[in-house]
């Protein structure tokens, strides 16, 4: 990334893109944010509004509307643009065909600029769109990352923390696989304070209140749809999780998040983008952490991969 000023470009300035930009500003993660949108007036207005907010922030970040030529010097390009969710739908895969055209146009223009940084893909269906971004861009696999199940993991940890009246960050649990209906929880590795979740739930039966692992997973999968049905979008959670991914990359943190990355042998899988705990730093996806999955979990994880692989064959 050199000694030049750090720059994050956000392609798509709808609710998610704008909220992500504002989250980055609040945390002072870079020196410049460039907003790109087909509606340039919208991007300009968002940039102006955010720039005015920097007066009250801890770091003076430049925020501006721009074009794809600005991607050349970018450290990270975040893609949030996607087709609108069909009304009364709860299936992200319905967005596949129209979203592919949007991703293709964005990635093609970004690469024309001479971009050599890292893509962070948020657009749904995120695993498939991340794979498609990688195929079109020609970048090394470690430099194309999807937001994956990072937010799903946070939702699960928050649900567990509420049961036991804890800080959610004291819960260690991963949602992995597809960001969608086939996602699963690695329960064998999940713990609170080093104590296995199964033991916690059994030893605290009164506080667990009959809640099962199956219910917790179902609520995690459903959470985004519950929000979407009530207010028409989700933005704060996904913006915060995307910002955490960006921070780990820009600050070389080596944090582990369950992001959508190319699996190249891990869990016995190849040539598929799927969420797995991954070390993130300036290289991008530095290393996939292959946690232990029991036989049932591994079978479910591979089924999730197969679901996505069936779509990949039709993409490029």
């Amino acid at each position: 990334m050199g000694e030049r000023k750090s720059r994050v470009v956000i392609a798509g300035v709808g609710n998610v893109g704008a909220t992500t930009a504002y989250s980055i500003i609040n945390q002072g993660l870079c020196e410049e944010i460039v907003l790109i949108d087909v509606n340039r007036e919208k991007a300009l207005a968002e940039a102006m509004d955010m720039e005015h907010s920097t007066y009250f922030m801890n770091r003076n970040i430049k925020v501006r509307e721009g074009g794809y030529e600005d991607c050349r010097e970018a450290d990270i390009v975040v893609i949030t643009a996607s087709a609108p969710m069909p009304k009364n739908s709860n299936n992200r895969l319905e967005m596949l065909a129209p979203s592919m055209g949007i991703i293709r146009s964005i990635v093609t223009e970004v690469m024309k600029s001479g971009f050599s940084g890292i893509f962070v893909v948020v657009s749904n269906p995120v695993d498939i769109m991340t794979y498609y971004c990688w195929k079109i861009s020609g970048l090394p696999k470690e430099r194309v990352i999807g937001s994956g199940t990072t937010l799903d993991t946070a939702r699960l940890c928050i649900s567990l923390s509420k049961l036991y009246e804890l800080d959610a960050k004291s819960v260690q649990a991963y949602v992995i696989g597809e960001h969608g209906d086939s996602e699963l929880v690695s329960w064998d590795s999940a713990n609170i304070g080093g104590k296995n979740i199964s033991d916690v739930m059994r030893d605290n039966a009164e506080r667990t209140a009959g809640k099962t692992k199956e219910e917790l997973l179902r609520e995690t999968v459903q959470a985004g749809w519950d929000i979407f049905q009530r207010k028409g979008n989700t933005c704060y959670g996904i913006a915060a999780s995307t910002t955490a991914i960006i921070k780990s990359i820009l600050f070389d943190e080596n944090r582990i998040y369950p992001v959508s990355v190319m699996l190249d042998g891990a869990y016995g899988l190849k040539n598929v983008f799927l969420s797995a705990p991954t070390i993130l730093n300036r290289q991008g996806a530095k290393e996939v952490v292959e946690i232990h999955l029991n036989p049932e979990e591994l079978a479910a994880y591979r089924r999730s991969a197969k679901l996505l692989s069936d779509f990949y064959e039709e993409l490029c």
Side-chain angles (χ1 to χ4, degrees), residues 127 148-150 152-153 156 173-187 189 217 220-221 257-260 263 267 269 274-278 288-294 297-298 300-302 304-305 308:
D127 303 290
T149 54
T150 303
D152 308 81
T153 293
L156 173 66
Y174 288 118
V175 178
I176 57 176
E178 175 207 10
H179 173 54
D181 292 343
S182 71
E183 66 187 32
L184 63 141
V185 179
S186 172
W187 290 113
S189 66
L217 174 58
T220 299
V221 173
Y257 289 109
V259 291
S260 187
L263 297 185
Y267 304 100
L269 297 169
L274 200 66
S275 281
T278 304
V288 172
V289 180
E290 193 165 358
I291 58 177
H292 172 74
L293 300 177
N294 67 41
E297 291 171 349
L298 182 58
Y301 192 62
R302 289 175 174 171
S304 189
L308 294 170

Side-chain angles (χ1 to χ4, degrees), residues 63-92:
V63 189
R64 62 182 177 86
E65 181 268 342
Y68 288 108
E69 64 277 5
D70 294 302
C71 296
R72 179 180 177 83
E73 300 298 325
D75 298 293
I76 296 173
V77 170
V78 183
I79 303 178
T80 66
S82 64
M85 179 69 68
K87 265 197 169 183
N88 302 317
S89 170
N90 65 349
N91 186 352
R92 294 177 181 88

Side-chain angles (χ1 to χ4, degrees), residues 19-298:
T19 310
T20 300
Y22 192 61
S23 181
I24 293 170
I25 292 168
N26 267 287
Q27 295 188 39
L29 299 189
C30 60
E31 292 165 287
E32 184 178 41
I33 297 174
V34 180
L35 306 179
I36 299 176
D37 197 275
V38 291
N39 184 344
R40 299 198 70 157
E41 289 299 307
K42 170 73 158 54
L44 176 60
E46 293 285 10
M48 292 172 64
D49 198 7
M50 290 181 209
E51 188 174 45
H52 298 159
S53 77
T54 63
Y55 180 87
F56 304 98
M57 304 298 181
N58 292 327
R59 185 176 183 185
N60 186 21
I61 297 177
K62 183 176 182 181
V63 189
R64 62 182 177 86
E65 181 268 342
Y68 288 108
E69 64 277 5
D70 294 302
C71 296
R72 179 180 177 83
E73 300 298 325
D75 298 293
I76 296 173
V77 170
V78 183
I79 303 178
T80 66
S82 64
M85 179 69 68
K87 265 197 169 183
N88 302 317
S89 170
N90 65 349
N91 186 352
R92 294 177 181 88
L93 295 179
E94 288 186 35
M95 302 162 64
L96 179 58
S99 290
M100 281 177 61
I102 294 170
I103 295 293
R104 185 188 306 113
S105 64
I106 291 172
V107 175
T108 300
E109 291 302 314
V110 170
M111 295 311 297
K112 280 181 184 177
S113 75
F115 174 68
S116 59
I118 294 168
F119 276 110
V120 174
V121 182
V122 183
S123 308
N124 277 317
V126 68
D127 303 290
I128 297 173
M129 293 300 98
T130 306
Y131 177 91
Y132 197 43
C133 175
W134 170 68
K135 291 289 286 187
I136 297 170
S137 70
L139 288 174
K141 64 182 186 300
E142 62 271 13
R143 299 221 304 267
V144 182
I145 299 165
S147 55
T149 54
T150 303
L151 176 56
D152 308 81
T153 293
R155 288 168 173 160
L156 173 66
C157 290
I158 288 170
S159 293
L160 285 165
S161 72
K162 286 180 176 179
L163 284 178
Y164 306 112
E165 299 178 350
L166 296 167
D167 184 326
K169 292 184 286 296
S170 294
V171 181
Q172 298 293 318
Y174 288 118
V175 178
I176 57 176
E178 175 207 10
H179 173 54
D181 292 343
S182 71
E183 66 187 32
L184 63 141
V185 179
S186 172
W187 290 113
D188 271 12
S189 66
N191 70 86
I192 296 177
K195 185 172 182 176
N196 184 270
I197 286 291
S198 296
D199 294 335
V200 172
M201 295 179 76
R202 183 191 63 241
D203 295 347
N204 296 272
E206 186 175 326
R207 283 187 285 182
T208 302
K211 185 78 72 174
T212 66
K213 292 175 180 177
E214 291 73 22
E215 285 177 292
L216 287 164
L217 174 58
R218 186 165 57 250
E219 289 171 4
T220 299
V221 173
Q222 188 63 31
W225 301 118
D226 289 342
I227 297 167
F228 179 81
Q229 294 298 330
R230 286 173 170 83
K231 73 168 198 167
N233 71 82
T234 61
C235 57
Y236 302 116
I238 186 58
S241 60
T242 302
T243 301
I245 292 166
I246 292 168
K247 182 173 181 282
S248 191
I249 295 169
L250 288 178
F251 287 23
D252 204 29
E253 288 186 328
N254 288 288
R255 289 285 298 270
I256 298 174
Y257 289 109
V259 291
S260 187
V261 291
M262 170 65 80
L263 297 185
D264 190 17
Y267 304 100
L269 297 169
K270 283 182 173 288
N271 201 39
V272 59
F273 272 79
L274 200 66
S275 281
T278 304
I279 302 170
L280 300 179
N281 64 12
R282 280 182 175 267
Q283 299 173 36
K286 177 187 177 184
E287 182 181 343
V288 172
V289 180
E290 193 165 358
I291 58 177
H292 172 74
L293 300 177
N294 67 41
E296 288 184 3
E297 291 171 349
L298 182 58

